[in-house]
Amino acid sequence: MNVAVGMSGGVDSSVAALLLLKAGHNVSGVLMKIWPGPDAPAAARSACYGPDEAGDIQAARDVCARLGIPLHVIDCSGSYEDLVLRYFREGYLAGTTPNPCVRCNQLVKFGILPDAARRSGLEFDRFATGHYARVEHAAALGRFLLKRAVDIRKDQSYFLYRLSQAQLATVLFPLGELAKSRVRTIAREEGLPVHDRKESQDFYGGDLGDILGRDGREGDIVDRDGRVLGRHRGVAGYTIGQRKGLGIASLVPLYVVGIDAGTNRLVVGPENETFRRACMVLECVWGPYDDLPAPAEVRVKVRSGGRFVPATISPLDGGRTRVDFAEPVASVAPGQSAVFYDGETVVGGGIIETAD
C-alpha cells in the first residue's frame, strides 16, 4: 500500500514512518511548510509554528534519508495564514480563546496538505501521522470512529475530533497502540537521529502578541459589580481563568471570569466565580451519527489538558448542543472546544459559545 506520512521533524512522525516501512508499505514523507519566513533561531519553547521551521525541515530530511524514503515539502503557509492564523486573531480580538491546533488538523494538516501532495503528483492510498489516537470502523454503524490512544497521557483525540468521515476513512495512526516511552526506545534502537529531540509544547513558541498584534486598546478591569480595579493592555491578551499578569493588588487571588470585547472590559473575581454548571456549544460534529438524536450521558473535556467531567448533552436547533455538567467546571472558555466521549470513543464535540 502507498502511504504518505505527515512528517514534522519530531520523533513521533519519524517512528510512524519507520513502522509503516517495516510493515511493508511504500512510504513517502510529506511536510507542510507553514512559516512564511524569514528563518531565525529556535524560541524558548519548542512549537510547531515559528521562525525555526528550517530546523524541523532539516530534521525530517535527515530521518527520511536514514529510512531511504523521499520527502516532499509542501508550502502551506498561505492556507495556514488564511484558515488558522486569521481565525486565531479574530477569535482573541472578539474575546474568545480559539484552539488553533483543532482547526489546523481539520483544515490544513488532514485537508490542504494531503490534497496538495496529490496535486503535486504524489500517489498514495492512505495518509498517516504520528498522532496518538486510534480509528476503528464500526460495521454496524457503517462509520469510522475516532478513539483515544492507549497511552492516555499522550492521547491527542481532543485535537482530532473535527476530522470528517472521509478523513477518518483514509487516515492511519501507527502510534495509537504504543506508549510514548516505547516510541522513544524504537527511535533510539533504530538509530533515528531525532530519538532524543524535544517535542513541541505549544503551537507558537514566542509571544502571542507577535501573531495577535498590539492594538494598544487599554481598558478597565472590573469586578462583577462593575467596580474598576485596574487597567488591562487589550482583551486579546487574556483568557478565561487567567490569574497571572492582571496587575491587581487584592486580598484574595483574582481570575478572569469574563471578557467583554464590545465594551473592552475584563471582568475578574475570586476562584469560585470561575466555575460553571453548563455551556452552549455550536458547530457540532459527531462520530457515530450525523446529528445527536437525543440527550446522552457522556464525559466531556473543555480544554485539551482538562479533566474528564460527566455531563448530559442535549441537541438544539441549528447544530448547537447544550452541555450540563454533573459538577461545576472551572474556566470554561468560549472559543475552546468541548469534546464528548463515551468510554474510549469520541462521540463528537463543538466550539464553546457561552457558559453559565
Side-chain angles (χ1 to χ4, degrees):
M1 183 165 60
N2 294 326
V3 182
V5 180
M7 305 294 290
S8 67
V11 65
D12 294 329
S13 60
S14 300
V15 171
L18 169 69
L19 295 177
L20 290 166
L21 197 62
K22 284 182 170 290
H25 299 299
N26 180 30
V27 177
S28 298
V30 294
L31 184 148
M32 62 177 195
K33 185 183 186 306
I34 56 176
W35 180 256
D39 297 330
R45 300 192 309 274
S46 179
C48 59
Y49 177 73
D52 57 332
E53 184 182 61
D56 298 332
I57 294 174
Q58 186 57 54
R61 290 192 192 281
D62 293 343
V63 168
C64 289
R66 173 72 177 80
L67 297 178
I69 64 174
L71 176 66
H72 304 263
V73 178
I74 309 292
D75 188 349
C76 298
S77 59
S79 298
Y80 193 81
E81 167 65 36
D82 292 341
L83 298 173
V84 179
L85 295 183
R86 183 177 298 172
Y87 167 83
F88 185 74
R89 291 190 197 99
E90 291 175 351
Y92 262 98
L93 291 172
T96 68
T97 308
N99 190 310
C101 300
V102 168
R103 188 166 175 89
C104 175
N105 283 331
Q106 177 194 12
L107 300 178
V108 184
K109 186 169 292 182
F110 292 84
I112 298 293
L113 176 61
D115 288 348
R118 286 193 171 96
R119 289 197 304 272
S120 73
L122 183 62
E123 297 182 359
F124 54 94
D125 306 299
R126 297 293 186 92
F127 178 67
T129 70
H131 283 92
Y132 289 83
R134 294 176 293 159
V135 176
E136 293 183 3
H137 182 253
L141 298 173
R143 297 178 70 91
F144 291 89
L145 302 179
L146 178 65
K147 297 201 167 189
R148 298 172 68 197
V150 168
D151 188 338
I152 300 302
R153 293 174 300 175
K154 300 302 298 181
D155 173 58
Q156 294 171 298
S157 59
Y158 177 94
F159 299 105
L160 301 168
Y161 82 94
R162 298 196 71 84
L163 296 189
S164 67
Q165 284 293 299
Q167 289 169 321
L168 291 176
T170 59
V171 77
L172 295 174
F173 295 129
L175 308 188
E177 303 283 346
L178 299 178
K180 175 73 177 201
S181 57
R182 178 58 184 155
V183 170
R184 289 272 187 199
T185 298
I186 292 172
R188 185 174 60 255
E189 291 176 346
E190 294 291 335
L192 295 184
V194 295
H195 68 86
D196 59 351
R197 197 166 193 246
K198 64 180 180 179
E199 57 188 299
S200 297
Q201 298 296 325
D202 207 341
F203 111 94
Y204 180 62
D207 185 343
L208 287 183
D210 300 339
I211 297 174
L212 298 174
R214 307 177 193 280
D215 59 22
R217 291 186 302 163
E218 294 187 357
D220 290 333
I221 301 177
V222 302
D223 62 16
R224 289 286 192 188
D225 297 323
R227 185 165 58 99
V228 177
L229 303 178
R231 299 283 288 176
H232 66 74
R233 300 180 301 278
V235 294
Y238 303 85
T239 185
I240 297 295
Q242 180 174 332
R243 175 184 172 187
K244 295 181 180 180
L246 298 180
I248 301 174
S250 174
L251 296 177
V252 297
L254 295 177
Y255 301 78
V256 176
V257 298
I259 301 174
D260 189 336
T263 61
N264 197 29
R265 279 187 163 193
L266 284 185
V267 183
V268 298
E271 184 178 18
N272 67 291
E273 291 186 12
T274 67
F275 288 89
R276 299 290 182 266
R277 295 304 301 254
C279 67
M280 301 295 291
V281 179
L282 72 165
E283 297 179 20
C284 293
V285 296
W286 304 100
Y289 23 70
D290 290 331
D291 295 294
L292 180 65
E297 302 298 317
V298 298
R299 293 188 303 156
V300 61
K301 290 180 74 171
V302 297
R303 286 182 183 263
S304 60
R307 61 189 179 91
F308 286 100
V309 179
T312 301
I313 54 175
S314 303
L316 300 172
D317 293 336
R320 298 163 74 239
T321 300
R322 178 179 174 87
V323 183
D324 290 286
F325 305 120
E327 58 193 65
V329 178
S331 305
V332 182
Q336 284 285 330
S337 287
V339 182
F340 316 129
Y341 293 80
D342 179 6
E344 297 182 332
T345 301
V346 175
V347 175
I351 311 300
I352 298 170
E353 179 183 23
T354 59
D356 53 59

